[in-house]
Amino acid sequence: MKELAFTSIRQLKEKLSKKEISSKELLKFFINRFIKHDPKLNSAVEIFDEESILSHHKPGGQLDGIPGLIKDNICQKTRITSAGSKILSNYRATYDATSITKLKNEGALLIGRANCDEFAMGSSNETSYYGKVHNPWDLERVPGGSSGGSAAAVAAGLIPWALGSETGGSVRQPAAFCGVVGSKPTYGLISRYGLIAYASSLDQIGVITKTVYDNALVLSIMAGKDEKDSTTLNGSNLDFTKNLDGKIKPGIKIGIIENALNAEGIDNEVASALQNALKELEKLGAKIEKITLPTMDYSAATYFILSRAEAASNLARFDGIRYGYSSSKRDSLSDLYEYTRREGFGDTVRTRILVGNYVLSVGHAEHFYQNAKIVQSMMRQEFNDAFKNCDLLFAPVHPTPAFKFGAFAENKLAMDLQDYFTCSANLTGLPAVSIPCGFTKNNLPIGFQLIGPNLSEDLIFKTAYAYEQSTQLYMRHPNYD
Ligand code: GLN
């Protein structure tokens, strides 16, 4: 039984179809994994009871009987959906997010809610109302964020797959910190209906799994047009698993973003793991091209402004009246608003709302918001130009392996600057996948990412799969029996 913990979805499906195990047994097994190990990790804020999980089971689909964990900012009908915030800690979703409906239709068993940074704001999972999440490779370290609970749970073998969400790296960075695969699809590939908004023009649901094949499978199920989200792109019956044959596209050109690879502050062990990954890709037949993307150096600043601006506007709806937490201090309407928001939001969220309102305010919007939009369009152009010459781009995910709790407590700006490697894919809307590529001497995982043109998920997964099959890094996992 024990070995089931680190078994891929692909293999679990086989075991189920050969009747080596029943879906009920599998569900029990993973629920027990949480009971046993999650007190140390805090990766889930809630694991549902078996009966209620099974009550939504629709047998027969592509994920029939395969348990998964859902980030706590994606609505699951009748379940609390808090986005890791006190202000929504009593909010029960009245509908399923489109991605949830699709997963349920394929037979998935959704077993709980993954812990995350409050409103998905953070890179370390230290801002959740439900407490911090621990990295399964080293409990003194962060799992990354904001989808840290999702990544930690998959890495520790508590669940075969989990959903996260990205606005500026929140799936890829925790995936890299925890040694698992994390995908951020093309903007519009997955419906945002039922995803609690942070910065709507950047938000996308992503997938965290142990293997590339599994990731491609879960993503394919969720992809496609949704009339409930007008920003979704056309396309149906996508299957990103179909070209995963262990070979890379003949003659593929991979651009290495030199200004990212040579950026200040890259840890030596990360740098050498990235070099090894490049060598491996070359060995598989890839042609490596050096390129520079100057606008990328402004990505963290641009992301900082745009994400805060949109957050300020999106989070205006939490007023203590319509839903969620409501303060008891309500002598006047403005008191009710003020105290609800003061008591209901944590520090990071309040700070971001303030910054967002500032960059949008009369007299400042031209300097901040409008300039950031200009840089964003230049960045889109620059990336699109790069793809005239390269099929995919290669970049670090994070300059260092997982850091210790509190590492950035005195310097929040330094933490924000680390979004540099990831947030350009969000600003440009491009798809990107983070893949494990090695470990430090202290046994901490390291990842790299492949970024592709719009809707190139097929090619990214194909390349990542070939790399993964030749390195077999997914065989290594932390010790949670
Ligand atoms: N570090 C980013 C932030 O704090 C991550 C956000 C995200 O992708 N949800 O905004």
Side-chain angles (χ1 to χ4, degrees), residues 120-123 145-146 165-170 198 303 308 352 419:
M121 297 178 187
S123 306
S146 62
S165 70
E166 276 235 10
T167 306
S170 274
Y198 164 9
Y303 171 75
R308 274 64 173 174
R352 291 193 185 199
D419 292 339

Side-chain angles (χ1 to χ4, degrees), residues 108-334:
L109 296 176
L110 309 183
I111 83 166
R113 304 189 279 133
N115 201 349
C116 60
D117 276 306
E118 187 178 359
F119 282 99
M121 297 178 187
S123 306
S124 62
N125 236 292
E126 290 168 292
T127 75
S128 168
Y129 174 60
Y130 300 97
K132 57 193 182 197
V133 179
H134 296 259
N135 190 313
W137 294 89
D138 178 349
L139 297 176
E140 314 250 288
R141 288 175 191 267
V142 307
S146 62
S147 314
S150 307
V154 173
L158 307 191
I159 196 81
W161 61 275
L163 292 193
S165 70
E166 276 235 10
T167 306
S170 274
V171 168
R172 285 164 291 154
Q173 185 254 24
F177 278 12
C178 293
V180 288
V181 179
S183 55
K184 194 294 278 184
T186 306
Y187 184 80
L189 186 75
I190 313 276
S191 171
R192 287 178 296 107
Y193 179 72
L195 167 68
I196 294 177
Y198 164 9
S200 314
S201 78
L202 308 171
D203 297 341
Q204 270 297 285
I205 290 172
V207 182
I208 293 180
T209 52
K210 282 185 279 291
T211 66
V212 173
Y213 180 95
D214 288 1
N215 208 295
L217 176 69
V218 179
L219 201 70
S220 304
I221 289 170
M222 295 189 296
K225 185 87 193 148
D226 178 15
E227 61 180 25
K228 296 193 182 100
D229 172 2
S230 61
T231 61
T232 47
L233 303 167
N234 280 325
S236 56
N237 295 326
L238 294 163
D239 178 5
F240 303 126
T241 63
K242 69 176 187 297
N243 292 322
L244 307 183
D245 55 7
K247 298 192 196 91
I248 63 171
K249 184 181 140 188
I252 191 172
K253 273 198 212 166
I254 299 183
I256 53 170
I257 310 176
E258 284 235 285
N259 47 319
L261 235 55
N262 299 328
E264 220 178 283
I266 295 212
D267 173 271
N268 287 339
E269 291 186 275
V270 171
S272 77
L274 294 169
Q275 289 307 328
N276 289 340
L278 278 173
K279 277 189 213 132
E280 191 64 42
L281 288 165
E282 270 188 298
K283 223 165 70 195
L284 289 165
K287 226 173 141 267
I288 306 294
E289 301 261 327
K290 290 183 179 169
I291 61 155
T292 29
L293 294 172
T295 55
M296 200 170 158
D297 294 346
Y298 301 92
S299 59
T302 308
Y303 171 75
F304 183 94
I305 293 166
L306 297 181
S307 61
R308 274 64 173 174
E310 291 191 37
S313 148
N314 272 327
L315 272 59
R317 71 189 68 162
F318 301 106
D319 53 12
I321 294 172
R322 281 171 284 194
Y323 41 68
Y325 173 80
S326 188
S327 175
S328 54
K329 300 196 187 88
R330 44 179 68 200
D331 290 345
S332 66
L333 187 61
S334 65

Side-chain angles (χ1 to χ4, degrees), residues 387-458:
F387 288 124
K388 288 181 186 146
N389 192 32
C390 299
D391 297 288
L392 296 176
L393 299 175
F394 175 100
V397 180
H398 199 88
T400 64
F403 47 85
K404 292 208 163 147
F405 291 109
F408 292 96
E410 303 304 321
N411 190 354
K412 296 238 159 58
L413 188 62
M415 173 105 92
D416 293 331
L417 286 174
Q418 317 226 350
D419 292 339
Y420 167 73
F421 296 99
T422 40
C423 66
S424 46
N426 307 83
L427 289 166
T428 53
L430 299 170
V433 175
S434 149
I435 306 128
C437 68
F439 289 84
T440 66
K441 286 199 270 322
N442 293 334
N443 214 25
L444 296 174
I446 301 168
F448 73 94
Q449 56 174 331
L450 291 172
I451 308 169
N454 269 328
L455 295 174
S456 64
E457 277 80 359
D458 247 330

